[in-house]
Structure formats: structure tokens, C-alpha cells
Amino acid sequence: MKNLAKIYFFIFILIAVGIGYLYFSLQHTTQKLSANVNRLFIQQANEFAKNISREITQQLPQDENFFDALFEGEYLREELEREISLIATDTYKYVFVLYRDETGTYRYLLDGSKKDKGEFGEKLHVNKEIWDQVWKNARSHVFYHKQVETLWVTYLYPVVIHGKTQAIIAIDFSNNIEKQIHEALLPLKTILFSIFAAIFLMFIVILLQLYFTYKTKKENLTDPLTGAYNRNYLREFLNNIQIENYKILMVDIDHFKQVNDTYGHQTGDKILQEVSKIIKSTIRDEDRLIRFGGEEFIIFIKKSSGLASECKVAKRIRENIAATNFHYNNQDLRITVSIGVTCRPQTFKTVSDAIKHADEMLYVAKRDGRNQVVLDAVNRQKEAGKQRLLPVYEVQEAIEEGRVVCYYQPIFHIKSRKIHKYEALVRIQNRDGSITPPMEFLPVVMHTNIYNLLTKTILGIVFEKIKENRVSISINLNFSDIIDKNIFSLILNELEQNKEYAHWLIIELLEYEPLDNSSEIFIKNLQRIKACGVKIAIDDFGSGFANYTLFQSLPIDIVKIDASIIKNIDTSNISKSITESILTLTNALNIETVAEFVHSQSVLKTLEDMNIDYAQGYYLGKPEATISIL
């Protein structure tokens, strides 16, 4: 809306400048034309004055004073006046010759005017300063004087006889050229003015329309109570921004329901208004404050140089609100807020997931005592029994810097006691050389775009290992990964690029997620993967959802029996019975079996006696960064 108003204003300015330029150009042209015409009249007056001066000089008796000659010679005076009168026309109405007496008064010598003639020696009131200057300097002079609508011009020409000024010839002429030009151009000026007025009125109408449109839209996008934006604006805002340029803060007023219940909803409304004002005064113009619902606000902070600045904004909001004394109805209230922050919303699959994550961090802040800021996954360690979890951005940096590695745990064929294949287990190698296990970073990247990138990285690493060693290697994927369009596409792409090695790859599906209504898509996608030569294994079998129903539709090649069953199989009849039932099914379906968590010779001997195909566990081999020779 603001941009549209700027465009209209710019167009109006261009048109106004154009019309103004035309108008003032006409004015300038009129003045220039009038000046040129006047210059022609002055040149003609100059010629007249020279002729009169020449005639006077020729007819004046030798060595005689001009005044004395005219005073004594009435005939000469009449003859000269007759000559001068020939010049007098409708334009050059007054032509006369004056002299200055001993007192400095100017008097008539000759007058060639048709009417209002001056008598010889009659005094004439003139602008003495100008006339004296002409008399003294013996130089012609032009001066203008306007009467009503007519411009009068007086041309003064000194008559110099015997090197001395003895008279001044004055020629008065007038013209109404400027008036005529003005009248000729008046219709054009009127048209230009009318166009300008019409455009100006149109501009005013457009501005009013924009104003009312903006006002209506603002009312539709603004929360009437707090003045913050509302959910309508949030939808529009999210459609027009690059989310990676923002941090997301979720703010909730602590114990707000108690305020409403104790002091009334009117006081609660005042609290909401004041909190909104404090937040607005704390954030910048480019940041966005949105009332998300009830006492909850969402803030989009424009990205700056680093993570610390967004932390400071969140802390400043919390501190400013906590330091404010809210006084209503003779009651002093202290209000606090809890804030959850998503620092890297671009790492989530959708903006909704990023907002949900900020809401989850807000929940952590409220659960852990309120009146605090919980920043992204760094603080999720509280949810994991004080276990440290890497922030999402550190996982992204590890991928970008090539610090994601795989450790390989051998899987032995029980009868031959030889390594038959390996399971790839992802790790992050820290800059100091230490290793971060998957449980410290997989939970924070799950359901983010970083998880997709991590999956692609692991596939690339595993295929390189397969090429080097020509050995089967399994990787772990979730049921949801097979359904996810993006992950499924990158899996197919990697398989396409490594066609001749795809039959060495085993995908272990972590069987702890229900399929719900996505089973058809899951089965279809899994069959496409298996068609590339990949083997499919069910991991942790016996610990998940609807175990036995999986065999009805899924193309399963291997079943890995969960550690919770295997670890006590040498001493527990129940574990043996469960394993025997699994073996009955897998043998009937010609499916291979792998026993996990083999931690002793006794467990291994029991598995061998039960005819389990493969075994995996620390007793047989720990995960290593390199693959042992088979």
C-alpha cells in the first residue's frame, strides 16, 4: 500500500513538474517576445532621435546657442516642430525637446505631439535624477513606466552641440504587445491549469481512496485492543518474507488467567495493552509484533549479525516487563513473561514447524519456573535429563564442514563366526577431535531440513564405503522418511547415481512409528526402493507397533530382533519363547534374522543353538571408524 502511494505521488510530481514547466516556459516566452518587440521600438526611437538631432544641427545658425536660436527664430521653431510632428504616430505619441535652465528646471523647446502640446519655455515635471544623468553624461537612456494595462517607454536622447548638451529629445511610446500575447496564450494557459487542477483533484481522490483502503486493511490486520498485528496479518506476512532472515519469539504473560479472575477482564485488557507497548518500544521498526491469541504474542525479529543479539532482544523484553509497575484500580501489579525462541526457522520443514518449536521452547520456559527465556535446542537438554543436545545450527555447520562421519559395527554370521556385513552409525566429529553420538543431535534435527541434508550425507558416505570394500552396509531410516516426499526423492536419486552398488545397501526401518493412513504410500515407496536391489530390514523388532501385521504387505528381507528380548535370552524362558515364535514366522517366510545386543558368550551360544542367522553386539565388535578386513 505504501509503495503504491509512493508510485502515485511520483507520477503526480512528474506531471505537475511537466505542466509547471510548460506554464513557466510560456511565461518566459511571452516576456522574451515582449522584450524583443520593445527592443525594436527602442531602436526605431533611437533612429528618430538621431534624425531629429541631425536636423536641429543642420538648421541651427553657425556658432549660435540652440535656445537663443529658437527663442529669436519663431520660423525655425515652427519648421523644426513640423519635422518632429511627422514622427508622432499612435505608437510614438509624444515627441518633444526640452532644455534645462539655470535653476535646473526642464522646459519645452519643441513639441511635435498631435495633442496636449507644450508651449515654448513651459515647465515640465520630469524625473530629474534620470534627466540630469542624461544631460550630464550626454548618453541616451530608456526607462519604463506602466499605466493601467499599457506599458509606456520614454527614450531620452541628448542633443550635443559644440561638445555640450544643449537639449534632450524625449520620445514617449507605448505598446500592448505583452497584453496581446497574454490574451493569445490565455486559452493554452487555461487548458494547462485545468489539466493540472483535474490531475490534482484526481490525485487527492486517489490518496483518499488509498487512505481509506489502508485504514480498512489495517483494521483487518490489526488487533483492536493492543494495536499489534493479528493472525490475518501473520498469514499475509509469512507469504511475503524469507523466513531465514528472522528469528521467532513466542511470548506469553505468566499467570494471566489469575489476573483476569482476580482483578477483572478490564484490568487484563489494560495489562495486554501495556505489555504490547513495552514490546513495541523494545523491538525495531523492521521487527513484527503479532498477537497470536489470548495473552500470547509472536515476534519476528529481523536477523542481525549473530545469535547473541536476538538473545538480548528477548532478555530485554522480559526485563523491561518485569521492571514495570502496572497500576490499575488502586492496585499495583507485577507482570512477568516467558519467552521461547526459534533461532533458525529455516532449518524446519515449514514455518508452522518453526513456530511450533518456539511454542515448545515457551512451554519449557513456563514449566521450569516462568519469567525466563528458553533459546532453541540449546535448552532442550533440560528435557533430556540434563543430557547435552547440540543446537541445530551446529549440526548444519558439521555437515557443511564435512565433520559428519559413520562408525561401522560388524554383524557376524553365527555359524561361520565371520563378519558378513556392517551397520553404519552416524557421528559428528567436533573441531577438537571429540565425537558426538547421534542421541545428542538427531532429536534436534528431526523434522527439519537439516535432517534431509544429514540423510543425503550419510547415504553418500555409505556408498563410498561400499565402493571401497564391496561389503554390505545397513543404514537406519524411520518409517516417516519413506513417506516424506523430499527424503524419498533424495534416496531414489542416490540409488540412481549408485545403481551397481545398490544391492550392497540395506535399509533398516526403525519400527517404532505407526503407519496410520499412510500405509499405501509407504508400501509403494518401499517397493520402488527394493526394486533398485536394496534389501529391507525391520530394526528393533518386538518393541514397536503392530509387529506381525508388517509381514502381510511389506517386502521384508531381514528382521533384527530387539535388544530387550536378546539381552536375557540365555536366562529367560520368556525371551526364548518370544524369539522362537519370531523364528517360526521368519523361517516360514524365508526371512533372515539378526540378534542385537549380543554381550556374552552365553548369549551367543544360545542364539547359535536356536539357529539365529546373524549376531551383533559389543561382545563381537564395537562400532569403529574403519571397516575391518572380512
Side-chain angles (χ1 to χ4, degrees):
M1 186 66 70
K2 291 181 179 179
N3 291 334
L4 191 60
K6 288 179 181 178
I7 292 172
Y8 284 138
F9 181 74
F10 179 71
I11 293 174
F12 172 76
I13 291 298
L14 284 180
I15 295 173
V17 169
I19 294 174
Y21 174 76
L22 289 175
Y23 182 82
F24 288 108
S25 294
L26 286 174
Q27 290 287 95
H28 177 71
T29 302
T30 301
Q31 294 173 1
K32 191 174 181 180
L33 187 58
S34 298
N36 290 335
V37 171
N38 286 331
R39 193 177 298 112
L40 291 175
F41 279 116
I42 291 170
Q43 290 175 357
Q44 190 171 10
N46 180 61
E47 293 298 323
F48 289 156
K50 286 181 179 179
N51 291 335
I52 294 171
S53 178
R54 191 181 305 114
E55 189 69 26
I56 290 172
T57 305
Q58 289 176 356
Q59 296 195 30
L60 186 69
Q62 191 174 8
D63 298 330
E64 189 168 357
N65 183 277
F66 185 36
F67 173 78
D68 294 339
L70 292 180
F71 180 76
E72 295 172 357
E74 184 177 350
Y75 173 77
L76 177 61
R77 190 166 66 243
E78 290 177 353
E79 181 65 21
L80 289 173
E81 281 189 343
R82 186 182 65 79
E83 292 289 340
I84 294 173
S85 66
L86 295 176
I87 299 174
T89 61
D90 289 340
T91 301
Y92 300 95
K93 290 184 177 182
Y94 303 101
V95 183
F96 49 91
V97 181
L98 275 64
Y99 80 100
R100 187 174 73 171
D101 63 15
E102 294 81 357
T103 64
T105 302
Y106 287 90
R107 299 180 182 277
Y108 280 100
L109 287 177
L110 301 170
D111 190 357
S113 305
K114 303 290 190 203
K115 54 183 180 179
D116 299 330
K117 290 172 65 71
E119 297 297 330
F120 181 81
E122 182 181 346
K123 179 181 178 181
L124 180 65
H125 294 285
V126 297
N127 188 327
K128 280 183 61 58
E129 183 179 352
I130 297 175
W131 283 70
D132 286 345
Q133 186 179 356
V134 175
W135 187 278
K136 179 180 179 181
N137 299 329
R139 292 180 182 177
S140 61
H141 185 80
V142 179
F143 67 94
Y144 301 85
H145 41 101
K146 197 162 188 175
Q147 296 179 356
V148 192
E149 295 181 353
T150 304
L151 177 67
W152 282 87
V153 182
T154 298
Y155 181 76
L156 303 180
Y157 187 88
V159 179
V160 180
I161 303 173
H162 306 309
K164 183 181 179 182
T165 302
Q166 295 192 21
I168 295 178
I169 301 169
I171 301 176
D172 281 352
F173 62 91
S174 65
N175 69 78
N176 58 354
I177 295 297
E178 187 173 353
K179 180 182 177 183
Q180 292 174 359
I181 295 174
H182 174 74
E183 290 176 350
L185 295 178
L186 184 61
L188 182 56
K189 290 181 180 179
T190 303
I191 291 172
L192 290 175
F193 180 79
S194 300
I195 293 173
F196 178 79
I199 292 174
F200 180 75
L201 289 175
M202 187 183 303
F203 179 70
I204 294 299
V205 170
I206 291 173
L207 283 183
L208 288 173
Q209 185 177 1
L210 286 174
Y211 169 74
F212 288 116
T213 302
Y214 173 75
K215 185 178 179 182
T216 303
K217 187 173 182 179
K218 186 176 180 181
E219 290 174 353
N220 186 48
L221 300 177
T222 306
D223 175 51
L225 177 63
T226 63
Y229 292 111
N230 59 20
R231 280 179 174 269
N232 293 332
Y233 177 83
L234 177 61
R235 284 190 290 270
E236 186 174 302
F237 176 72
L238 294 179
N239 289 332
N240 295 288
I241 65 162
Q242 293 180 317
I243 194 62
E244 62 269 18
N245 294 331
Y246 290 87
K247 314 296 185 197
I248 302 175
L249 276 61
M250 191 70 75
V251 182
D252 186 86
I253 301 175
D254 296 330
H255 305 296
F256 185 73
K257 185 176 183 302
Q258 294 181 14
V259 173
N260 275 333
D261 294 343
T262 305
Y263 302 102
H265 289 279
Q266 187 174 0
T267 300
D269 290 345
K270 292 290 184 181
I271 294 292
L272 286 170
Q273 291 172 344
E274 288 300 316
V275 167
S276 177
K277 287 180 182 178
I278 294 171
I279 295 175
K280 286 179 182 177
S281 66
T282 307
I283 62 178
R284 303 160 299 179
D285 291 338
E286 59 264 36
D287 303 328
R288 294 292 180 268
L289 172 64
I290 300 165
R291 188 180 179 191
F292 200 60
E295 71 275 19
E296 200 168 55
F297 296 87
I298 185 170
I299 308 172
F300 289 84
I301 302 294
K302 193 71 178 290
K303 186 178 180 181
S304 56
S305 58
L307 190 64
S309 57
E310 284 72 42
C311 297
K312 290 179 180 177
V313 172
K315 291 177 181 177
R316 205 157 50 235
I317 290 172
R318 185 195 66 77
E319 291 169 356
N320 290 346
I321 292 173
T324 302
N325 182 27
F326 297 86
H327 183 79
Y328 298 111
N329 296 329
N330 298 320
Q331 297 288 338
D332 289 327
L333 304 178
R334 289 290 180 178
I335 300 298
T336 61
V337 294
S338 300
I339 304 177
V341 183
T342 296
C343 295
R344 292 176 178 264
Q346 71 271 20
T347 61
F348 292 82
K349 291 183 178 180
T350 65
V351 179
S352 296
D353 288 340
I355 293 174
K356 183 180 178 182
H357 177 72
D359 199 42
E360 291 173 355
M361 296 301 97
L362 172 63
Y363 172 78
V364 175
K366 293 170 72 101
R367 187 198 65 189
D368 291 348
R370 306 177 189 268
N371 190 25
Q372 60 181 291
V373 176
V374 173
L375 185 70
D376 220 3
V378 175
N379 296 90
R380 287 179 121 183
Q381 53 189 285
K382 295 180 180 179
E383 298 179 27
K386 302 300 180 181
Q387 176 187 355
R388 180 182 181 275
L389 296 176
L390 288 184
V392 175
Y393 66 87
E394 286 193 19
V395 181
Q396 183 178 6
E397 289 173 356
I399 295 172
E400 293 171 351
E401 295 172 10
R403 291 187 287 106
V404 171
V405 297
C406 284
Y407 275 41
Y408 304 92
Q409 186 173 26
I411 300 174
F412 281 78
H413 188 266
I414 292 180
K415 295 294 184 182
S416 65
R417 294 293 200 276
K418 292 182 178 180
I419 298 174
H420 189 265
K421 47 194 170 185
Y422 292 85
E423 179 179 1
L425 303 169
V426 66
R427 306 281 191 269
I428 285 181
Q429 188 173 30
N430 302 313
R431 294 187 181 96
D432 61 2
S434 61
I435 298 296
T436 299
M439 67 283 296
E440 293 185 15
F441 62 85
L442 282 181
V444 300
V445 298
M446 196 69 68
H447 309 301
T448 72
N449 292 328
I450 302 304
Y451 180 79
N452 299 3
L453 185 58
L454 181 64
T455 302
K456 178 179 175 63
T457 302
I458 293 171
L459 281 169
I461 293 172
V462 168
F463 271 120
E464 284 300 317
K465 222 48 170 176
I466 290 174
K467 292 177 187 177
E468 291 175 10
N469 298 277
R470 296 296 196 275
V471 61
S472 292
I473 301 177
S474 64
I475 62 170
N476 293 289
L477 291 176
N478 298 318
F479 279 19
S480 58
D481 295 336
I482 307 301
I483 299 170
D484 186 280
K485 292 181 180 179
N486 294 325
I487 297 179
F488 179 66
S489 296
L490 71 86
I491 292 172
L492 287 184
N493 186 54
E494 289 294 323
L495 292 175
E496 182 66 25
Q497 293 180 22
N498 298 276
K499 284 183 179 179
E500 58 181 303
Y501 304 105
H503 67 282
W504 296 99
L505 182 68
I506 302 169
I507 291 180
E508 297 185 12
L509 297 174
L510 302 176
E511 194 257 324
Y512 55 75
E513 297 176 327
L515 288 176
D516 297 331
N517 298 323
S518 305
S519 57
E520 291 184 7
I521 299 175
F522 177 80
I523 294 169
K524 181 179 177 182
N525 290 348
L526 201 61
Q527 288 173 341
R528 290 184 64 183
I529 291 174
K530 187 170 174 59
C532 296
V534 178
K535 291 185 177 181
I536 306 299
I538 296 296
D539 196 14
D540 298 334
F541 186 78
S543 64
F545 298 91
N547 294 309
Y548 288 96
T549 61
L550 296 174
F551 296 96
Q552 294 180 346
S553 54
L554 300 187
I556 300 172
D557 299 296
I558 303 167
V559 167
K560 299 187 73 174
I561 304 172
D562 186 64
S564 61
I565 300 173
I566 299 298
K567 65 181 180 179
N568 297 319
I569 197 168
D570 57 336
T571 58
S572 171
N573 291 327
I574 295 177
S575 295
K576 283 184 180 179
S577 298
I578 295 173
T579 303
E580 287 172 351
S581 67
I582 294 173
L583 287 172
T584 300
L585 179 62
T586 55
N587 289 335
L589 298 175
N590 197 27
I591 294 174
E592 294 179 350
T593 52
V594 179
E596 299 181 291
F597 203 75
V598 178
H599 57 88
S600 66
Q601 173 64 32
S602 175
V603 169
L604 180 61
K605 182 66 172 65
T606 303
L607 296 174
E608 183 179 7
D609 293 340
M610 297 180 68
N611 292 319
I612 300 284
D613 298 314
Y614 300 96
Q616 177 182 0
Y618 272 35
Y619 176 73
L620 297 171
K622 296 180 180 180
E624 300 288 346
T626 58
I627 287 181
S628 305
I629 299 174
L630 295 181

